[in-house]
Amino acid sequence: MVPKEKEAVTGSVASVKGDALREVPSANITQALQGRAAGVDISQNSTKPGAALQIRIRGTRSLTGDNNPLIVLDGIPFVGSLGDISSSDIKSIDILKDASATAIYGSRGANGVILVTTNRGSKGQKARFTYNTFNGVQTLFSRYPMMDGPAFAKLRNYATPAPSAGQTSTTPLYQTNGDESLTTNTDWQSLYYKPAMITSHDIGVSGGTEGGNYSVGLSYFKQDALIPLQNYERFALRMAVDQQLGKRFRVGFTTNTNYSKSEANGLNPGAILGYSPLANPYNADGSPKKTMTTGGGADQIWIFSRQNIEALGQKYVDETKSFASYNNMYGEVTLPINGLKYRLNVGLDYRTSNSGNYAGVGVFSFNPATSSSAGRGNSQTYHWALENLLTYDRTFGKHKINAVGLYSAEGNRSIGTYMSARNVPADFFQYYNLGQSPQADITVDPNNQSYAQWGLLSAMGRVMYTFDNKYMLTATLRADGSSRLAPGNKWHTYPALSLGWNITNESFMQNVKAINLLKLRAGWGQTSNQAVPEYSTLGRLTVTPYNFGNTNTTGVYVSQAPNASLGWEYSKTQNYGVDFGLFNNRLTGSVEYYKTHTFDLLTRKNLPISSGLSNVLENVAETENKGVEFSLNGIIVNNPEGFSWEAGVNFYTNKNRILSLASGATRDLNNLWFVGYNINALYDYKYIGLWQAGDAYQSILEPGSAADVVGSIKVLYTGGYNPDGTPMRAIGPDDMQVFNTAPKYQGGFNMRFSYKNFDLSTVGAFQHGGILVSTLYGSASYLNRLTGRGNNVDVDYWTEDNTDAYFPRPGRHLSGDNPKYSSTLAMFDASYVKLRTITLGYNFNKNLLDDLKISALRIYFTVTNPVVLFSPYHKFSGMDPEPNSTGDQNQAVNGYQPRQLVIGTNNPSTRNYLMGLNLTF
């Protein structure tokens, strides 16, 4: 039978069971969600242990506001992240994607809603104990593809500037001397990475009586990084209790408390990747060098080898300690009117984070006398939510009515401080007593101190009506009032309506045995987003030091203009879907089409220079997201006593584009926004090859001597031509183009095979098209300069004997430190098919377990990130084709927006080998 809740749904909802999530052992259940639900794009923005992932439900809507979905834990808005919740606790996750489904959560659900339901004890259940664990080793998925010593020496020797008139040859740009030698071939990555451990333990007990139930659990997780000193550790305690008080009253609470610690997050492999492989890391006596000189003296470097970093002891610390407690309480009373209930939900949450860093004298500096430095920061978040719900649920013959009325209030207060100091008098002080430093070396930057408070009032009414289990209607009206917005704009009321027709229950379908479910859905609605940063309507004053005569003092100036008209960002959505179940529900799935138009988006409108300000924040832009989603799940072979085979696949598209910007502009070059293109578009020249000897119009299009230009990057000329066919101008900024980066389609798949007590499962993901930015090959990371100064990614570059190469001639036609137009080399086809996990498990025989008083025992072996297929980038570089950084991380030069995800010099991807056990007794 098709579950009744599935038959009654009229909005767009994707569901994932907790058992499916646990097929992917991970620190963060977001990783287990990847590829599981159509329309839910989950991407890495960091590969450091404990890092959160980016979640986008049906695309990016806001230009400057928050695009993260709302997380609701056991019915209460959750201010933590999915990484704060152990996968062992989760019963199910439901993802609400359209306005009809998210309307009851109002503006908080503007970017979609993720409902997390945790496991609880059952009424009358005997105490049940569980122990889930996995342990294993993380290995390097692939090395960064850098040159070895001979290849680098060859590059350096060839990287010569173009000869001047009368010259026949020139010397290399950078000499091999100092700590370098042509007989040396140092593998710096091997001196930095080493396999790392990962471990997880989760203990739980649950049970119940006739009047209530309980669940208590304790978990521990630790993940070391492949790079030195870096790790993430988390302890978590959770508890849930429900108790019936008499016939009419029921109360309960849930608490989820965790403590985490991360260390050495400031380290990354970017520095060692650029070290010359010709440099010897050891002194003549075999001791490690602390510093070295390379590139003919151009680079003087502190050596970030594992041996040097681990030897620092008290001279280096970089840690963040966080504590969070999320608490939900409820009281429910059944009123004398049949079907009527009142429920009060209370959420009380507290989060605090304390960070500290210290680097001793000379640490990370070529100069051993460089002063020590330290910094300390802390933040607190206080959050509360209060919800009053009145629910009426009755069935009258063929009529079923479920009505909900809500009045809620929510508040949030956050505080952040940071201070730094230099010349800390002793290493053992580290960051714990910055006041011991000279007062002149202590800095309290006002830009690093923060306070914000906001509140939200809401009222909502929803009616769900079903007639004869065939025709369904859901109507919602929600009103939100936000303290962030200006008077007159604080409140907004918006509707949502969805309809459903369960064709399966029509009389003319009763003899169609092959179809178990066929339901049509349509939904329309509006949502809004209170994306305005706190106090933006009031403008902003910034403190600045200045001198008045001989007196040093501080003053303030207006740095952000006030705008009393700031209001909500609005989204109007349409959703149309078909749900089906065939052949006794051995084949189930859905097809959906959606369109979301978001308007009154917050962007900055330019102001006249005479105003004293460059811009003002206004509601002026528009975006659109539309796409198709398809999900299919099948039981291909079903033999409980023998071989069984289950499979699922989801496929989705999302076409995101900007419809308008401020003041009627069609482009905003500062933010890289372009009307008609997706929010994460790139703006660059188009690579079309390399200049070759004798190419027509080279001296016009790319002025310069042939000796310098031949072998350099050729980009597309988009200008006009003279009557004689010659170009009218040289290549310049007018030839830059906009590139859409989004894939054409993406999705995920999973399969599970079982034979008697054995099972084999795999989870994967795929995407086709789009642009992957790898900063290793472009100009941003300084790893493809092709000058011989520092090590280079191993590329096939132009020489007189290799003129059909893709990469330019070393040392010629430079723009600053990089080949001209080398940013175009960072763009790759983003397509891939990837197996995320393969798991082989064995369930012990029940008869054996009964003798041992054990309910269930399963052991399994999992390998994560085992296979990448059909990826042009992986084929070219050997690397993982998924991003590992945001556009502003670990870059030598700017060029990408923080919102863009790229492959950069962050932690390398890993392939993990894990052994796990699930025990219930």
Side-chain angles (χ1 to χ4, degrees):
M1 293 292 292
V2 176
K4 291 298 181 183
E5 60 270 22
K6 182 67 175 177
E7 289 186 354
V9 170
T10 55
S12 181
V13 181
S15 299
V16 183
K17 297 297 183 184
D19 290 340
L21 295 173
R22 286 184 281 276
E23 291 180 4
V24 182
S26 62
N28 191 325
I29 60 172
T30 316
Q31 295 171 318
L33 269 176
Q34 284 183 299
R36 287 285 190 177
V40 182
D41 181 23
I42 299 176
S43 305
Q44 296 180 132
N45 51 25
S46 174
T47 42
K48 296 182 185 295
L53 280 75
Q54 175 183 283
I55 305 175
R56 295 291 181 264
I57 297 177
R58 291 185 167 178
T60 301
R61 299 164 179 79
S62 180
L63 297 178
T64 59
D66 187 8
N67 283 288
N68 294 311
L70 170 71
I71 300 172
V72 177
L73 179 63
D74 291 325
I76 295 291
F78 186 59
V79 294
S81 71
L82 287 176
D84 294 325
I85 308 170
S86 170
S87 61
S88 296
D89 296 341
I90 294 177
K91 180 179 180 181
S92 65
I93 288 181
D94 297 294
I95 302 170
L96 314 184
K97 297 186 286 186
D98 73 330
S100 173
T102 65
I104 61 172
Y105 296 100
S107 60
R108 297 170 301 181
N111 300 309
V113 179
I114 299 177
L115 303 179
V116 181
T117 303
T118 59
N119 293 314
R120 307 176 88 87
S122 303
K123 181 179 178 180
Q125 172 193 318
K126 292 182 179 180
R128 181 175 63 189
F129 295 86
T130 60
Y131 173 59
N132 299 310
T133 183
F134 63 84
N135 300 270
V137 62
Q138 304 166 97
T139 63
L140 193 64
F141 177 84
S142 67
R143 298 160 55 87
Y144 282 84
M146 308 305 297
M147 289 183 173
D148 62 11
F152 178 66
K154 182 179 179 181
L155 167 70
R156 174 177 282 180
N157 185 61
Y158 193 72
T160 59
S164 302
Q167 287 183 304
T168 58
S169 64
T170 55
T171 59
L173 292 170
Y174 296 97
Q175 302 297 316
T176 299
N177 54 32
D179 288 283
E180 295 176 295
S181 168
L182 292 176
T183 61
T184 302
N185 185 10
T186 301
D187 183 353
W188 289 103
Q189 294 186 70
S190 69
L191 299 179
Y192 195 68
Y193 306 126
K194 77 172 184 180
M197 299 300 297
I198 182 171
T199 185
S200 175
H201 301 276
D202 191 288
I203 302 171
V205 58
S206 62
T209 65
E210 289 304 311
N213 57 69
Y214 63 89
S215 175
V216 181
L218 179 68
S219 65
Y220 170 76
F221 176 84
K222 184 175 182 182
Q223 180 180 4
D224 294 321
L226 272 61
I227 70 177
L229 302 184
Q230 196 175 93
N231 65 75
Y232 172 77
E233 190 174 25
R234 182 185 67 213
F235 300 85
L237 172 68
R238 74 239 181 227
M239 184 181 300
V241 175
D242 302 283
Q243 182 63 46
Q244 189 76 32
L245 301 177
K247 293 183 178 181
R248 295 188 178 276
F249 294 93
R250 185 173 180 82
V251 296
F253 76 90
T254 302
T255 181
N256 187 330
T257 300
N258 62 66
Y259 167 81
S260 65
K261 180 181 178 181
S262 60
E263 296 186 302
N265 271 340
L267 296 177
N268 68 80
I272 63 106
L273 295 177
Y275 290 170
S276 168
L278 304 178
N280 191 335
Y282 300 106
N283 295 306
D285 62 0
S287 61
K289 293 179 181 176
K290 294 292 192 299
T291 61
M292 64 182 179
T293 299
T294 62
D299 293 313
Q300 297 177 321
I301 301 165
W302 193 93
I303 300 174
F304 281 82
S305 66
R306 174 177 291 273
Q307 196 170 3
N308 283 343
I309 293 173
E310 291 181 343
L312 289 173
Q314 289 188 330
K315 290 180 176 294
Y316 171 70
V317 64
D318 176 13
E319 61 186 15
T320 300
K321 301 174 182 177
S322 301
F323 173 84
S325 183
Y326 310 105
N327 305 280
N328 305 336
M329 294 162 280
Y330 75 87
E332 186 176 270
V333 56
T334 301
L335 298 174
I337 300 174
N338 191 12
L340 190 63
K341 291 182 180 180
Y342 167 76
R343 180 179 175 113
L344 174 66
N345 290 327
V346 179
L348 299 171
D349 306 314
Y350 172 71
R351 301 179 66 188
T352 183
S353 177
N354 293 279
S355 63
N357 60 81
Y358 172 72
V361 174
V363 172
F364 305 149
S365 174
F366 183 81
N367 181 0
T370 299
S371 62
S372 60
S373 61
R376 183 166 190 170
N378 67 79
S379 64
Q380 293 89 37
T381 298
Y382 307 85
H383 173 264
W384 60 268
L386 186 69
E387 295 183 337
N388 297 274
L389 294 120
L390 193 63
T391 305
Y392 181 71
D393 194 350
R394 286 290 306 276
T395 299
F396 305 93
K398 294 183 178 182
H399 305 274
K400 183 175 181 179
I401 297 176
N402 178 281
V404 178
L406 172 142
Y407 179 75
S408 69
E410 182 180 2
N412 194 91
R413 181 163 62 99
S414 59
I415 304 165
T417 63
Y418 183 82
M419 63 185 300
S420 61
R422 303 189 68 83
N423 291 308
V424 178
D427 288 333
F428 60 80
F429 281 115
Q430 294 189 338
Y431 64 84
Y432 296 108
N433 192 345
L434 302 186
Q436 293 287 350
S437 298
Q439 292 300 301
D441 291 332
I442 299 174
T443 301
V444 182
D445 187 340
N447 294 314
N448 293 331
Q449 325 304 317
S450 64
Y451 174 87
Q453 186 169 356
W454 58 264
L456 186 73
L457 284 176
S458 304
M460 185 273 297
R462 184 189 69 182
V463 176
M464 299 175 65
Y465 170 73
T466 303
F467 175 72
D468 199 20
N469 288 327
K470 300 177 186 177
Y471 314 111
M472 292 149 281
L473 179 148
T474 301
T476 307
L477 190 67
R478 171 99 184 196
D480 281 338
S482 173
S483 66
R484 303 184 188 205
L485 303 174
N489 293 316
K490 291 182 181 293
W491 282 91
H492 181 65
T493 301
Y494 38 91
L497 176 70
S498 60
L499 305 172
W501 178 23
N502 192 346
I503 302 174
T504 319
N505 291 338
E506 294 287 359
S507 58
F508 58 81
M509 293 291 294
Q510 298 310 302
N511 293 324
V512 184
K513 302 301 182 183
I515 301 177
N516 308 105
L517 173 66
L518 181 59
K519 184 178 68 176
L520 305 181
R521 295 181 282 107
W524 305 267
Q526 186 185 83
T527 59
S528 58
N529 185 8
Q530 51 169 339
V532 177
E534 297 89 345
Y535 316 120
S536 293
T537 59
L538 305 178
R540 177 172 297 174
L541 299 176
T542 297
V543 177
T544 184
Y546 72 100
N547 64 292
F548 186 76
N550 295 324
T551 303
N552 293 323
T553 185
T554 58
V556 295
Y557 66 94
V558 178
S559 57
Q560 179 176 306
N563 185 349
S565 299
L566 287 180
W568 299 88
E569 295 185 342
Y570 300 109
S571 291
K572 291 182 178 179
T573 71
Q574 306 171 41
N575 190 86
Y576 307 96
V578 179
D579 300 324
F580 58 88
L582 307 174
F583 313 121
N584 201 24
N585 286 319
R586 291 184 61 170
L587 191 65
T588 60
S590 64
V591 181
E592 297 190 75
Y593 169 79
Y594 67 89
K595 182 177 180 180
T596 302
H597 175 211
T598 306
F599 55 98
D600 283 354
L601 289 172
L602 292 165
T603 55
R604 297 197 174 274
K605 181 178 179 180
N606 292 332
L607 294 175
I609 297 176
S610 59
S611 69
L613 294 166
S614 59
N615 56 64
V616 61
L617 190 64
E618 290 191 350
N619 299 91
V620 289
E622 297 178 82
T623 63
E624 179 184 80
N625 286 274
K626 61 183 179 181
V628 176
E629 299 170 356
F630 172 73
S631 298
L632 184 66
N633 295 284
I635 303 173
I636 301 170
V637 179
N638 186 20
N639 182 3
E641 301 301 322
F643 177 73
S644 296
W645 178 11
E646 301 174 18
V649 64
N650 67 79
F651 164 98
Y652 61 96
T653 67
N654 176 262
K655 185 176 182 181
N656 166 262
R657 64 189 182 118
I658 298 173
L659 299 181
S660 67
L661 292 168
S663 304
T666 59
R667 55 180 55 192
D668 179 340
L669 293 180
N670 289 331
N671 293 295
L672 295 184
W673 290 326
F674 305 91
V675 172
Y677 294 87
N678 67 302
I679 290 175
N680 290 323
L682 296 174
Y683 188 60
D684 207 337
Y685 296 94
K686 183 177 181 178
Y687 174 99
I688 60 172
L690 302 178
W691 285 103
Q692 305 293 344
D695 277 358
Y697 312 130
Q698 175 258 301
S699 60
I700 301 174
L701 294 174
E702 196 62 46
S705 68
D708 186 49
V709 174
V710 170
S712 69
I713 297 171
K714 179 192 288 188
V715 297
L716 184 66
Y717 170 68
T718 61
Y721 292 86
N722 296 310
D724 62 356
T726 59
M728 298 179 67
R729 58 171 174 80
I731 291 172
D734 290 341
D735 296 300
M736 297 181 73
Q737 301 180 40
V738 184
F739 295 86
N740 266 323
T741 58
K744 293 181 179 178
Y745 60 82
Q746 55 195 126
F749 57 92
N750 59 86
M751 284 190 287
R752 186 178 187 276
F753 307 92
S754 62
Y755 179 73
K756 296 185 177 180
N757 291 1
F758 289 93
D759 60 80
L760 176 67
S761 62
T762 183
V763 178
F766 62 86
Q767 69 177 40
H768 176 71
I771 294 176
L772 170 68
V773 173
S774 175
T775 64
L776 278 64
Y777 292 94
S779 56
S781 66
Y782 273 25
L783 293 179
N784 195 22
R785 290 179 287 186
L786 290 167
T787 61
R789 176 172 176 175
N791 201 8
N792 211 91
V793 282
D794 197 358
V795 297
D796 181 30
Y797 51 83
W798 189 97
T799 68
E800 288 88 346
D801 300 322
N802 187 34
T803 58
D804 60 349
Y806 185 83
F807 291 87
R809 176 173 183 158
R812 301 288 172 93
H813 208 52
L814 301 178
S815 176
D817 293 311
N818 289 283
K820 191 175 183 181
Y821 310 122
S822 61
S823 59
T824 63
L825 302 174
M827 292 188 278
F828 292 83
D829 185 336
S831 302
Y832 68 81
V833 176
K834 187 174 184 182
L835 294 185
R836 296 198 183 280
T837 62
I838 299 175
T839 298
L840 175 64
Y842 179 79
N843 296 278
F844 282 83
N845 190 283
K846 192 175 187 307
N847 293 331
L848 173 63
L849 298 180
D850 288 342
D851 294 338
L852 299 174
K853 308 298 183 184
I854 296 175
S855 301
L857 175 61
R858 179 175 183 266
I859 60 172
Y860 62 89
F861 173 77
T862 296
V863 56
T864 68
N865 227 11
V867 179
V868 174
L869 302 169
F870 310 115
S871 166
Y873 181 73
H874 175 69
K875 183 179 180 180
F876 176 78
S877 68
M879 296 184 66
D880 191 332
E882 290 192 87
N884 66 4
S885 306
T886 56
D888 60 341
Q889 284 181 332
N890 309 325
Q891 301 299 314
V893 292
N894 295 326
Y896 300 102
Q897 297 293 319
R899 66 178 182 272
Q900 291 172 317
L901 300 184
V902 303
I903 291 179
T905 57
N906 213 326
N907 290 26
S909 294
T910 63
R911 178 178 287 125
N912 305 336
Y913 300 91
L914 308 172
M915 284 288 294
L917 178 145
N918 305 125
L919 172 65
T920 303
F921 59 93

